[in-house]
Amino acid sequence: MRVFVPGDSAAISVGADEVATAIAQLDSTVEIIRNGSRGALWLETLVEVQTPSGRIAFGPVTPADVQSLFDADFLNGGAHPLSLGKTEEIEWLSSQERVTFARVGIIDPLSLEDYRAHGGLIGLRKALKLSHEVIINEVTESGLRGRGGAGFPAGIKWRTVAQSFGEQKYICCNADEGDSGTFADRMLIEGDPFTLIEGMTIAGIAVGATKGIVYIRSEYPYAIATLRKAIEIARTSDWLGSRVLGTTHAFDIEVRVGAGSYVCGEETAMLESIEGKRGVVRAKPPLPAVEGLFGQPTVINNVLTLSTVPMIMAEGATAYKSRGVGRSLGTQIFQLAGNIARGGIVERSFGISLNELVNTYGGGTLSGRPFRAVQIGGPLGAYFSSAQIETAMDYESLIAAGGMLGHGGVVVFDDTVDLAQQAKFAMEFCAIESCGKCTPCRIGSTRGAETIDLIIKGVRVDENKKLLLDLCEVMTDGSLCAMGGLTPLPVKSAMINFPTDFDGVRK
Amino acid sequence: MKFSPWSQDAALTLLATLRDENGPVLMALQLMQEEFGYVDQACVALIANYFNKSRAEVHGVLTFYHDLRTTPPTSHQISICAAEACQAVGARNLEREIKAKFNDEVQSAYCFGNCALGPAVMVDGKLIGRATVEKIEKALQ
Amino acid sequence: MTMIFEPDFGTPASEKLEQVSLEIDGRSITVAADTSIMRAALEVGIDIPKLCSTDRLKAFGSCRLCIIQVDGRNGTPSSCTTPVAEGMKVATKSEKLDRIRKGVMELYLSDHPAECATGAECEVHAVAKKIGVATSRYTTPETHLDLAKDESNPYFTFDSTECIVCNRCVRACDEVQGTFALTIENRGFEARVSSSGTSFIDSECVSCGACVQACPTGALTEKTLLTIGPPTSSVITTCAYCGVGCSFKAEMRGDEVVRMVPLKAGGANEGHSCVKGRFAYGYATHSDRITKPMIRASINDPWKEVSWDEAITYASDGLKRIQSESGINAIGGITSSRCTNEEVFVVQKMVRAAFGNNNVDTCARVCHSPTGYGLGQTFGTSAGTQDFESVEHSDVIMLIGANPTSAHPVFASRMKQAIRKGAKLIVIDPRVIPLVRTPGVEAAHHLQLMPGTNVAVINALAHVIVTEGLIKRDFVEARCDAQSFKEWEEFISLPENSPESLEASSRVPATQIRAAAYLFANARNGSIYYGLGVTEHSQGSTMVMGIANLSMATGNIGRKGVGVNPLRGQNNVQGSCDMGSFPHELPGYRHISNPDTRKIFNDAWGVELQERPGMRIPNMFDAAIAGQYRGMYVQGEDIAQSDPNTSHVHAALRAMDMVIVQDLFLNETSKFAHVFLPGTSFLEKDGTFTNAERRINRVRPVMKSKTGKSEFEVTCDLATAMGYPMSYESGAQIMDEIAATTPTFSGVSFAKLDELGSIQWPCNEANPQGTPMMHIDHFVRGQGQFMKTPYVPTDEKATRKFPLLLTTGRVLSQYNVGAQTRRTKNNIWHSEDILDLHESDAQLRGIADGSWVKLASRVGETIMKARITDEVPAGVVYTTFHFPESGANVITTDFSDWATNCPEYKVTAVEISPSIQGPGEMIETHIGGDPQLDSIIRMANQIAANVPANNAPEIQVAHHIVQFWTPTMIGRLRNEVDHALLSPIVVRAIEITLMTNQYL
């Protein structure tokens, strides 16, 4: 009898380990699979039972519920107040278009057998038979864009690396998912690490790199552990190493762990950090694709970007690009977070409306109070008001609305939020996390927080608002990287969309 | 969490595991902290010498990363996520409460990737979702 | 006089040849590809505001003031980090750019003092003014204005309140100096420049001044700038420390030096400096300076200040009296490698023309004389083959017996940068010198040989190259003498030269030798750099020839990145040799026996020069003890401290009747002097120095002579008083005479030097702009000559009584005998000589780290403090010789190089033992018997052992002796020596050749 209790750290954070222990204690014959999370985090701990008719879900389960589940014969799909029916029929899940997350929550993350049984390694096997050029063309053709936030076409980056000369090229996976409100990278690594490994291997073969490095943040200890185990399994099973799946291609992957620095999610700062140095941003040019890690040509892609590659290779560029709108092709993994009733992963084609995400999927706020603001795209993303609820969620529409998609995080706030405080926090966060290299970010962020504080206190409000807007321009146009360059985005959007919070009068 | 007492010999044995790494300084500092709970001041010269770096280079790295600490931990380690998603569900209040309630070291962190189940708190490396003072208290026991 | 201003183009010049055309602010411009927009703009006079960029450092892009707009591109990129592109249209000014720049400047001003300590020097205020921002609108900001100053370095302050975190200092320490002593600590708003969390003096900082030079604000400032005030004029001149010969701007306020600023246009240093040249110039105006002439009747009398006339007359009377009593050859002179070419030229001219003999030698005798001999024999000229820049093109660098980070720091920085860019380094040295392993640099091989076994190692390397078929045959056939190559190839292939055979002597594992030989032989460009660890040996000359052989055999001559490069010691050791300071050579390395050469000088000077060589320095000492040499003129050299076997030197000086010392300070030698003629510092001189790359640099007076006379004027006065009138109006006039009489200098003049900045000789009709690289198409002597180099172990061996080998060297902060640096704040780094020894040797003798030890050799003993270190292997001890108190040369012996008599400083058999009472008197041995005869026997036998000939070695021995010995010495060898004491080859040489009267 197989029971699935997610080993995802979000599930663990609300008692999944204890649930698993409780089940094991009551029936030691049960085979407990620690799968990834299905992404319906509001249902965690989501326990699934394998029955002849499919997987039956129960949730959210707490350790205290376990006895009653046994009492209700849940192992045979017995009726229970927490029963959700067949997992794939839960509408919150079934309405999604799981491409990148296709296997997450379904398979045992560390079972290579499971991985193969669910379509794993098809893409890689295909790629191994193709020329560099054909692989790169396929990725280019698919329209896959960097999921880290910048949205740069992956194929073009790969081509640059393939054409650059270097003794040792690298594939760097940016798993420094530092944006508040985002957790897709973490969930993918914890739930389907082989997909990432496969994507990196394909990238390596495509550009002629034999070394891959995953730079992952220390705040993700569970993901680090899972990924390390998965890499070890791939090494011992003829995948990673000097002969990838028995071919003459060599590829191996190393995990490097961050040490508490948001800016190391910026690609050049990440390179410095992987090199063991201070995570300070590099000026471009040279592009990392030409002179990247240790001065060598380097592909830098986000976890989700690389994890989408196996599917593109397996099913073809056309299958991927048939989804999405305009230049935002394929799917996006939206993450519903913050003050939201039904938070989690929603993978849908680009173009879904904010309303559908926040209200249809999200079910409004967790507190039950009116929804007032949503920050899209992490701490450097814009704050939107309820008036902008119909905005389409794709790269271009969000830019047009004065924001950005970023890593697809959607953080919901209820009506208790004070946007002046949030704006101040944006500056404070920048002050804490700035690498300290360029002046607009290094000094500007502190000055920004000080100036907003004066506005909040009602000191020379108009004068300080003018100064703040001037500072925002200096930071936007003057900063070396996106950290300082985008910090004004939440600040200005808050000022524009929530002007009353900046009138200097305490509410 | 249990750490070994600082020992230069033990440190050198650990550093030897990084001998062939490219760009080893940050990893070395992290390794020291994993083993001893902090980076002893002696590590700067030790790592510099071991990997043929200057002390300044090591010092620069050590002071850049907020994870790295130079004093031994004296209590449980509580990190509370102070980023927006957790702010949206009361993290600021929770932080005040924790600081008032516990004598342990409380640090701000910026996102554990548990943004749908905030506030998120890490107690000695264990992640707690929908954190409350009571849950933290239980985790500390 | 005005201030010399060197423009700052913001980013380094591009090395690309391809040209790119673009438009900046509507002006068309064509520049090299990869040039930054900032630099391109400045080349047409468009000055884009900047703070973090400077043309000695790679673009960094942090200050965000130099932003620009480019047609068709988004955003406002920084012009320092954006390269030009064909057809690009750039705007450096717009309302938007102006707004952003003002905004950035407001941020700077919000955390910067309103008044800076250095006033107008602070670029923050200068740029703020330029872009029209007076104050910042930010009120009550958090700042760093309460941070404490770090005054720990003796020469500069670090004031963090003025720091703008532009990283220029950190980058300079990395990219220019290569020490990595600085970093930024913390991040974000708290990011600050830090010397690794400690004060500067406790950090890894070597005080080169690159950070101070790079700092755009008053954060890093010379203390003198704060105490003396801003400079009002500047003069370009040349440092007077080591053979690198760095160019500096002496920045003056009135007659006082405010600071020495390294010159970017300086060919040798390209804007870099070390702690000595940059900061330790204070000795020049130290209160110890003697500025009035002094005389005394005996060395036990007190000095008496007299007029110049009285001093000159007293000196010349003494010298004339000696010549009348003991013959024309009973006096002589020593030229100084610290003095200008012109001053040296005048001294050797005085000896040859006014004294009427060839008893002139120079302190190069005790450092690089084997270089002259060895490279002369093989290549045909006595100088390094390359310029310093060449090292940046090397793929494999072999560094032998040199410690550049201490002794040639500015060149060491270049070398380090080359290694960091990928060049491989092979170090051959008994000690673990810093370059074996220092941040950013790790030697591929360290062949840690025993002192005295250089030739064994170079032969073993060559053996591998020859026997493994790694010879560059094409080069050898095209460029080298076939017969000499064939003989050498046979010789070096002998099993006795294999690494395995020589392992026992050198203690270098044969496998290491083989690996290093392969690395060097397979290098695209392999270069050899060496120092006194090569020359100061009994086989110094053999080793130089071995080096030359190796570079010819591997085809590493005549292009960038290769060559044989002696790292010269003193600032003008190359020049003093060039100027005819050796007893057997006239200026330009022409043998005194050559009648054509003599004729040039006879005609120019109106004299009849002696045709036989005069005495070398050690010969002078021997002759003095023997009573045959009674008077000498010593120009700027402290032979009593710097020459080996102090007992012997002291005995010789004590035996003389007229010792004339010309120097800045009273020194060890002046204790034995009868006349003291005050000299001038480099700040007062008008002349030239020639550095290790044959670069003739101008030395310009920045202040009036403190003695009232120029140094050459004093020499001329003495010559005149001796009866041979000499006078020159200026250094330029002396150079004209040098040019007129010396073919390699025929194109050199002060006017041309002023025009070109510097000139590398030869400079003549064929090479009017000078010669950065030698032997390009053919060797100066025609075909390269391979010389056989048999390894002959030194007689100075470890024995039961003296079981350890002492070797000597220098530290960064002190210079040679310390006459200059000991009179500066450099003592803070190194205030005494220390004996380094290995732990096993210390344990065996019960010596604790830091305790006093007695150091004894067969010639003397002294006491110094011990330091236990693994920088020396067991069996080897090491010390410096910077301090007269420790008297390291009381220990060193008068053994020397067989060909040139360069002392064997690098090998002395010693014993050490704990000393309870601490420093005491140095014990000198009594000099008895006939040291001159002893020397003659030893030297003759040594020549016989080393002369590399199969057939008729006696002819070569005779030839060598005739070429370098004085007639008196040859006479004593022939007539007074018991033949039983001589090698049979020497006996045959005497019988066959030296019997002919032609040599007497």
Side-chain angles (χ1 to χ4, degrees), chain C residues 278-325:
Chain C
R278 179 76 156 92
F279 295 119
Y281 52 84
Y283 71 89
T285 51
H286 195 273
S287 58
D288 284 357
R289 273 281 296 271
I290 305 291
T291 54
K292 298 230 165 54
M294 303 190 296
I295 59 170
R296 58 184 174 184
S298 109
I299 62 170
N300 299 316
D301 292 340
W303 285 107
K304 190 174 99 185
E305 275 186 16
V306 293
S307 70
W308 277 109
D309 282 348
E310 197 178 336
I312 295 289
T313 307
Y314 184 72
S316 63
D317 285 352
L319 294 174
K320 281 191 279 194
R321 189 171 55 246
I322 292 167
Q323 282 188 312
S324 70
E325 289 167 10

Side-chain angles (χ1 to χ4, degrees), chain A residues 20 42 57 120 134 213 235 256 311 321 394 402 420 480 503:
Chain A
W42 50 288
V134 173
I213 288 171
R235 276 193 195 129
R256 293 247 174 151
M311 175 267 159
K321 73 175 174 186
D394 60 72
L480 179 59
D503 58 13

Side-chain angles (χ1 to χ4, degrees), chain C residues 64-365:
Chain C
R64 315 312 291 171
L65 286 166
C66 73
I67 49 171
I68 40 132
Q69 286 165 309
V70 181
D71 272 15
R73 291 196 197 177
N74 288 334
T76 50
S78 46
S79 62
C80 61
T81 59
T82 309
V84 294
E86 188 61 41
M88 190 184 231
K89 285 194 169 61
V90 177
T92 72
K93 297 175 193 81
S94 74
E95 266 182 43
K96 182 177 187 69
L97 292 171
D98 193 44
R99 270 202 315 277
I100 297 169
R101 283 181 190 142
K102 283 183 171 159
V104 170
M105 191 41 84
E106 272 190 284
L107 292 173
Y108 274 122
L109 292 177
S110 74
D111 192 14
H112 194 75
E115 300 275 328
C116 285
T118 54
E121 290 241 329
C122 177
E123 289 181 31
V124 173
H125 292 294
V127 174
K129 203 170 158 191
K130 193 151 71 183
I131 63 179
V133 181
T135 53
S136 153
R137 285 177 288 165
Y138 298 100
T139 49
T140 63
E142 189 188 340
T143 69
H144 299 92
L145 297 177
D146 54 353
L147 294 176
K149 277 190 190 181
D150 178 352
E151 302 265 18
S152 63
N153 185 288
Y155 298 116
F156 59 84
T157 60
F158 174 57
D159 180 355
S160 194
T161 66
E162 297 199 18
C163 174
I164 57 167
V165 202
C166 64
N167 284 247
R168 272 162 68 162
C169 55
V170 178
R171 288 146 61 208
C173 196
D174 166 354
E175 295 172 30
V176 177
Q177 167 59 23
T179 292
F180 307 93
L182 298 179
T183 184
I184 302 294
E185 69 182 4
N186 306 322
R187 72 188 193 204
F189 190 65
E190 294 312 319
R192 300 316 280 172
V193 164
S194 162
S195 47
S196 78
T198 57
S199 66
F200 264 83
I201 204 71
D202 294 327
S203 74
E204 294 145 307
C205 169
V206 293
S207 206
C208 70
C211 57
V212 181
Q213 175 79 342
C215 182
T217 73
L220 283 158
T221 310
E222 299 90 350
K223 287 182 177 173
T224 46
L225 183 68
L226 301 175
T227 53
I228 299 172
T232 51
S233 66
S234 54
V235 181
I236 293 170
T237 190
T238 305
C239 175
Y241 276 108
C242 76
V244 177
C246 297
S247 298
F248 280 90
K249 272 189 294 182
E251 295 195 342
M252 310 293 294
R253 190 174 178 85
D255 212 24
E256 200 171 4
V257 180
V258 177
R259 58 182 172 186
M260 297 290 281
V261 179
L263 191 73
K264 284 194 291 187
N269 56 321
E270 293 181 352
H272 192 31
S273 58
C274 80
V275 60
K276 294 187 283 273
R278 179 76 156 92
F279 295 119
Y281 52 84
Y283 71 89
T285 51
H286 195 273
S287 58
D288 284 357
R289 273 281 296 271
I290 305 291
T291 54
K292 298 230 165 54
M294 303 190 296
I295 59 170
R296 58 184 174 184
S298 109
I299 62 170
N300 299 316
D301 292 340
W303 285 107
K304 190 174 99 185
E305 275 186 16
V306 293
S307 70
W308 277 109
D309 282 348
E310 197 178 336
I312 295 289
T313 307
Y314 184 72
S316 63
D317 285 352
L319 294 174
K320 281 191 279 194
R321 189 171 55 246
I322 292 167
Q323 282 188 312
S324 70
E325 289 167 10
S326 303
I328 198 164
N329 293 335
I331 63 170
I334 301 178
T335 71
S336 172
S337 299
R338 332 266 20 226
C339 291
T340 61
N341 287 316
E342 294 71 19
E343 288 162 348
V344 166
F345 180 86
V346 166
V347 170
Q348 64 88 32
K349 178 177 176 181
M350 171 181 77
V351 172
R352 299 190 200 275
F355 292 4
N357 61 42
N358 289 320
N359 290 333
V360 62
D361 206 359
T362 179
C363 44
R365 172 68 54 210

Side-chain angles (χ1 to χ4, degrees), chain C residues 389-412:
Chain C
E389 195 267 342
S390 169
V391 77
E392 293 167 29
H393 306 269
S394 287
D395 304 297
V396 177
I397 300 165
M398 189 180 280
L399 180 66
I400 314 175
N403 183 13
T405 52
S406 289
H408 303 89
V410 170
F411 173 70

Side-chain angles (χ1 to χ4, degrees), chain A residues 259-263 278 280-285 430-448 450-451 454 460 463-464 466-467 470-471 473-481, chain C residues 59-64 67 75-78 81-83 96 99-104 106-108 110-111 136-144 163-167 183-192:
Chain A
S261 164
Y262 176 76
V263 78
R278 296 168 54 79
V280 173
V281 173
R282 296 178 186 172
K284 289 185 269 192
C430 182
I432 294 164
E433 297 293 347
S434 165
C435 76
K437 179 170 175 176
C438 78
T439 312
C441 181
R442 175 174 64 88
I443 304 180
S445 53
T446 296
R447 296 292 170 258
E450 288 163 354
T451 306
L454 290 174
R460 293 189 304 279
E463 215 175 290
N464 278 315
K466 164 84 170 62
L467 180 57
D470 287 353
L471 173 65
E473 186 191 20
V474 169
M475 289 180 72
T476 304
D477 293 327
S479 294
L480 179 59
C481 84
Chain C
F60 191 61
S62 80
C63 77
R64 315 312 291 171
I67 49 171
T76 50
S78 46
T81 59
T82 309
K96 182 177 187 69
R99 270 202 315 277
I100 297 169
R101 283 181 190 142
K102 283 183 171 159
V104 170
E106 272 190 284
L107 292 173
Y108 274 122
S110 74
D111 192 14
S136 153
R137 285 177 288 165
Y138 298 100
T139 49
T140 63
E142 189 188 340
T143 69
H144 299 92
C163 174
I164 57 167
V165 202
C166 64
N167 284 247
T183 184
I184 302 294
E185 69 182 4
N186 306 322
R187 72 188 193 204
F189 190 65
E190 294 312 319
R192 300 316 280 172

Side-chain angles (χ1 to χ4, degrees), chain A residues 477-502:
Chain A
D477 293 327
S479 294
L480 179 59
C481 84
M483 171 99 214
L486 291 175
T487 292
L489 199 57
V491 176
K492 281 175 75 173
S493 62
M495 289 174 82
I496 293 163
N497 298 332
F498 303 89
T500 53
D501 290 17
F502 293 82

